[in-house]
Amino acid sequence: MPELDGGVLSGRAALLADVGLTGPALRTALAALYDGWLAGLLGNPGPGVALVAVGGLGRCQMAPGSDLDLVLMHAGVDDIGKVADALWYPIWDTGLDLDHSVRTVAEALAVAAGDLKAALGLLDTRHIAGDAGLSAELLTRTRAAWRAGAATRLPELRTAVLERAASEGEVAFLLEPDLKSARGGLRDVHALQALAAAQVADPPGGQVRAAAQVLLDVRGELHRSTAGAGRRTVDRLLLQEQDAVAAALSYADADALMAAVSGAGRVIAYAGDTTWRRISPAPPRRRLLGRRTGRTGAAGERRPLADDVVAQGGEVVLARDADPSKDPVLVLRVAQAAAWADLPIAPHTLARLVTECPPLPVPWPRPALDAFVGLLAAGGPAVHVFEALDQAGLLVGLLPEWASVRSKPQRNSYHRFTVDRHLVEAAAAAAGLTRRVARPDLLLLGALLHDIGKGLPGDHTVVGMRVVAELAPRLGLPPPDVDVLVAMVEHHLLLPDVATRRDLDDPATARAVADAVGSGQVLELLHALSEADAAATGPAAWSSWKAGLVDSLVARTAALLAGTPPPGPAPLADWQERLVAGRVFALQAQDDEVTVVAPDRPGLLGLFTGVLALHRLDVRSASLFPRNGTAVNVCRVAPRFGRLPDWTVVRDDLRRALDGELDLEPMLAAREAAYAPRLFLPPLSATVHLVDDASQTATVLEVRAADALGVLHRITCALARCGVDVRTAHISTLGADVVDAFYLVGPDGGKLHDPVLRDDVERSVLAALR
């Protein structure tokens, strides 16, 4: 008996089961399968009826989970309803997703005139079966209407592109990009094709077509992976799918896959920017040598920007008598001028620089280094200039080491950019901090190079130090400056790590930092670099709380390096002293600082942190000390969601917990389950480590674990069961992880020397985190 669905489902299943059938071959096979089946369903309806495909099927770019986008065309046929029923019902019976309509040519054009999505779909019309002349008429008239209406439709298209980019982010930099809708995705390719159909731009070039093929291939395997597992197909490349997609397409690993996706997204986004700019150039903000001017000049006016570099028509171009073949520094002068004028470099200028400019001599001449530092000093506008140099292939020519970090993903939720874009963004942020340091040139170069080792095997800091030690002399830097840059790479994480994980009131903390940095100059540069690095990382990397800690650490370290007494421990505020003096139990908050006074008892910190977690509060730091026969806990907190709570309710819950009337464990478990993060991340085991040389009076326990609402409560309760006291606690959140440091003292009030106790602490904390 023949299959009721005409064999389309079994044929589709056979295609998807063939793991060797990927990329264009899979898309071609799917289109051929659907074309043959649909033609059979329509049969021979006679003249005046045609079935056309639009969208993905019209472009022959079907993914396994794509809809069937079909239009049944007719020329006023009376019984078209019967033809439609005979076509649509068998499709619905298969369970395949169908987007369908029945139109005359006039009706289709009328719909397209008021619906941008419909208009774009019809631009990809492809005949499937029936009256081929009718299909050709639809395509011809659709494209003619699109060209005729370009003056109004293209601004509408531009708005849609910008709105989509704002809402979906960028393919190049997202941890889980939407391959279709994000900036640099497939819809942007469709927009470029629509511009070509309007005859206002050339069709997408070879680089864009190749980039689109990468995204189409990845999308196809993403659909195959999710469909095979019985899940709804999506176009967002989720973390849990990346390994399977990488294996299906023979990438070395998920990092290699995401590097390819990022590179493709950047090519498409850059092509879109360039094309749109040439279609409807907007008057840019002009900046020349730090001065802004509203003068735009006539379209043909050539305004000097630098030696052999001029602005014309809203772009940076070469002067008429410029000779790139005799001027290796010209690339950097053009780049610096473009950044400071906040103008794009014309594509033909980039092409000339690629083909005609000789390599820079080694070491770079001083004008080259000055232009490069000047480019970095431009700040935000330099980001787009770097992208232009990168897309033209000039950046790797200037800095061969850049190839190893180019489009390299950082597969965690803490970083928002690829490594190379992170470095450029860090340099742009550093440009706003140059007046805080004596050597702004070293700050800018250090910001650009601090993570350069991430592109090579090994510890990125150690590798980066070696890379910079070899690279910096080529740039023309003298040995003392090279040493400073290497030190900046070595210690670029030092200040925020120590500030958030160590007790700043412990003299050993500032002494360790002073010994590491060695000089006030390096300390000053690292202070600014820490802020720039965090700004380029993501919103979770910096806060007023962290800035305050880093400032305090820098002040103490600078005093040591200068030979002056460091600031002492911060005293309790007057309101805290009154609270301690007058109460047996009290909880009071001022802004984000919470002070609790309660009778000292084992496990007090665990109860306190548990109650705070119950009210969805994250503890950023905690200090504990005895005073007047009671225990005083001072914490800085931040709401995980929304605003700070009603402290009266928190106080009542803490009192109930102290009295044994509040069963914290099941309540916290329910909270954790309700607020567990939905983002998939590769599971990492918790780690614990005891450090003896970080303090003269306490043993430091370092804990790294997956973030959860009650994780601090579980750790502190485990420590209480071991019989050790927490003197201070310092909590940092890095993406999906917490990195905590606890200053511990044993029953004798000193460091943890007993091997049995140390082992018990490590085992108990690890068990609490499972």
Side-chain angles (χ1 to χ4, degrees):
M1 175 181 291
E3 296 179 78
L4 295 178
D5 62 14
V8 69
L9 293 182
S10 60
R12 177 177 178 274
L15 293 177
L16 298 186
D18 183 356
V19 295
L21 189 65
T22 63
L26 175 61
R27 294 191 289 276
T28 299
L30 284 171
L33 174 69
Y34 291 135
D35 284 2
W37 174 54
L38 293 169
L41 289 179
L42 184 65
N44 183 12
V49 176
L51 179 65
V52 299
V54 298
L57 184 56
R59 294 185 295 270
C60 291
Q61 293 178 350
M62 290 287 286
S66 297
D67 294 349
L68 295 176
D69 292 330
L70 302 172
V71 182
L72 182 61
M73 301 300 304
H74 69 100
V77 175
D78 292 335
D79 60 350
I80 192 64
K82 293 181 180 179
V83 178
D85 289 346
L87 179 63
W88 305 144
Y89 277 98
I91 300 175
W92 287 326
D93 289 342
T94 65
L96 295 173
D97 291 327
L98 173 65
D99 189 348
H100 65 290
S101 60
V102 181
R103 304 268 193 258
T104 64
V105 172
E107 289 169 344
L109 294 175
V111 170
D115 186 329
L116 179 64
K117 182 180 178 181
L120 294 174
L122 288 175
L123 291 176
D124 296 315
T125 294
R126 184 171 63 85
H127 177 73
I128 297 292
D131 188 338
L134 186 60
S135 300
E137 180 188 355
L138 173 65
L139 181 59
T140 299
R141 292 180 62 183
T142 295
R143 291 186 170 241
W146 179 254
R147 290 192 298 273
T152 56
R153 302 314 299 270
L154 295 189
E156 184 183 359
L157 176 60
R158 179 59 170 155
T159 298
V161 168
L162 293 174
E163 289 178 348
R164 191 172 63 248
S167 65
E168 299 293 341
E170 296 199 46
V171 166
F173 307 122
L174 287 170
L175 185 64
E176 298 180 326
D178 187 310
L179 302 172
K180 192 173 182 181
S181 296
R183 170 174 153 82
L186 293 169
R187 289 198 188 278
D188 280 357
V189 179
H190 304 160
L192 291 173
Q193 292 167 337
L195 295 178
Q199 297 182 350
V200 297
D202 292 332
Q207 284 187 314
V208 173
R209 294 196 302 273
Q213 291 299 312
V214 170
L215 299 187
L216 286 168
D217 292 353
V218 172
R219 182 175 179 244
E221 294 310 309
L222 173 62
H223 279 210
R224 192 202 306 253
S225 175
T226 51
R231 302 191 300 275
R232 184 174 64 88
T233 55
V234 295
D235 294 319
R236 188 172 298 281
L237 184 53
L238 300 176
L239 272 166
Q240 64 262 38
E241 309 295 345
Q242 291 172 12
D243 288 319
V245 173
L249 293 173
S250 300
Y251 286 98
D253 53 29
D255 278 357
L257 166 72
M258 296 310 294
V261 169
S262 173
R266 291 170 74 165
V267 167
I268 294 167
Y270 181 73
D273 289 344
T274 303
T275 304
W276 280 110
R277 185 174 69 242
R278 288 183 163 267
I279 291 171
S280 53
R285 295 174 300 163
R286 300 299 182 98
R287 182 168 71 179
L288 182 60
L289 300 178
R291 295 171 297 175
R292 294 193 181 275
T293 171
R295 181 171 56 88
T296 60
E301 179 185 346
R302 298 170 72 86
R303 181 165 57 89
L305 298 177
D307 188 20
D308 286 336
V309 184
V310 300
Q312 182 180 30
E315 295 178 320
V316 173
V317 300
L318 298 181
R320 291 187 178 92
D321 55 354
D323 187 355
S325 66
K326 298 178 181 179
D327 191 354
V329 182
L330 184 57
V331 171
L332 290 172
R333 287 207 310 280
V334 168
Q336 180 187 9
W340 278 94
D342 199 2
L343 291 172
I345 305 173
H348 62 84
T349 298
L350 288 169
R352 285 194 65 189
L353 294 174
V354 169
T355 58
E356 299 179 37
C357 256
L360 280 165
V362 176
W364 286 8
R366 187 70 203 189
L369 179 59
D370 289 345
F372 189 57
V373 171
L375 165 63
L376 297 174
V383 174
H384 304 292
V385 174
F386 265 89
E387 188 68 12
L389 296 178
D390 181 67
Q391 292 297 321
L394 289 164
L395 188 53
V396 171
L398 294 168
L399 301 174
E401 294 82 359
W402 201 258
S404 65
V405 296
R406 187 178 187 276
S407 294
K408 184 173 181 59
Q410 305 194 76
R411 298 181 70 219
N412 59 67
S413 58
Y414 193 56
H415 286 87
R416 57 177 171 165
F417 293 124
T418 54
V419 176
D420 57 340
R421 182 61 174 265
H422 168 74
L423 293 175
V424 175
E425 292 281 351
L433 306 173
T434 52
R435 294 189 178 183
R436 286 175 26 181
V437 299
R439 290 293 304 273
D441 56 335
L442 295 182
L443 172 61
L444 294 168
L445 291 169
L448 184 72
L449 300 173
H450 72 277
D451 273 346
I452 196 70
K454 284 188 173 181
L456 299 169
D459 180 274
H460 85 276
T461 297
V462 175
V463 173
M465 293 167 61
R466 184 174 67 247
V467 170
V468 170
E470 297 173 356
L471 184 157
R474 293 205 317 270
L475 302 184
L477 291 168
D481 289 353
V482 174
D483 292 341
V484 171
L485 277 183
V486 170
M488 292 176 69
V489 174
E490 180 180 10
H491 300 303
H492 70 275
L493 296 174
L494 179 68
L495 297 182
D497 281 358
V498 171
T500 57
R501 304 178 197 175
R502 292 292 182 264
D503 184 354
L504 301 188
D505 292 332
D506 192 317
T509 300
R511 172 53 59 193
V513 174
D515 291 344
V517 302
S519 72
Q521 181 190 44
V522 173
L523 179 67
E524 177 186 71
L525 289 167
L526 289 174
H527 191 189
L529 175 58
S530 297
E531 186 172 337
D533 185 15
T537 296
W542 199 249
S543 63
S544 59
W545 164 77
K546 182 177 284 189
L549 293 178
V550 171
D551 289 348
S552 177
L553 174 61
V554 168
R556 293 166 189 265
T557 306
L560 282 176
L561 291 170
T564 59
L572 288 178
D574 291 342
W575 68 271
Q576 290 172 313
E577 289 287 4
R578 291 194 298 271
L579 192 69
V580 171
R583 304 288 181 87
V584 175
F585 169 79
L587 180 151
Q588 191 165 330
Q590 187 163 317
D591 297 325
D592 64 345
E593 188 171 75
V594 187
T595 301
V596 171
V597 179
D600 200 4
R601 56 182 279 186
L604 179 60
L605 181 60
L607 287 175
F608 182 31
T609 56
V611 171
L612 293 178
L614 199 61
H615 289 271
R616 299 186 292 278
L617 290 170
D618 288 331
V619 177
R620 294 294 183 80
S621 66
S623 298
L624 302 93
F625 49 89
R627 182 72 69 89
N628 298 338
T630 61
V632 181
N633 296 352
V634 180
C635 291
R636 287 199 175 275
V637 300
R640 181 162 289 218
F641 311 102
R643 297 175 296 178
L644 291 168
D646 182 340
W647 291 111
T648 302
V649 178
V650 178
R651 183 186 303 115
D652 291 343
D653 282 349
L654 179 57
R655 186 188 295 276
R656 292 171 58 207
L658 289 169
D659 294 340
E661 299 174 0
L662 190 67
D663 194 357
L664 276 175
E665 303 306 326
M667 298 175 71
L668 281 174
R671 284 278 186 180
E672 287 191 51
Y675 291 97
R678 297 181 180 179
L679 177 65
F680 175 88
L681 289 168
L684 297 175
S685 300
T687 60
V688 299
H689 181 53
L690 290 170
V691 181
D692 290 307
D693 59 0
S695 171
Q696 297 176 352
T697 59
T699 297
V700 175
L701 172 70
E702 291 187 338
V703 179
R704 185 158 191 154
D707 188 19
L709 201 59
V711 66
L712 182 58
H713 167 74
R714 297 202 301 270
I715 294 172
T716 52
C717 286
L719 293 173
R721 289 192 293 269
C722 293
V724 299
D725 289 331
V726 179
R727 194 181 71 191
T728 62
H730 308 271
I731 291 85
S732 299
T733 301
L734 301 178
D737 288 351
V738 289
V739 183
D740 300 343
F742 302 87
Y743 280 64
L744 306 179
V745 294
D748 60 355
K751 290 187 176 185
L752 308 186
H753 297 295
D754 182 358
V756 176
L757 178 59
R758 292 168 67 94
D759 184 66
D760 186 31
V761 166
E762 291 184 342
R763 289 177 179 272
S764 297
V765 172
L766 279 175
L769 294 171
R770 292 193 180 100

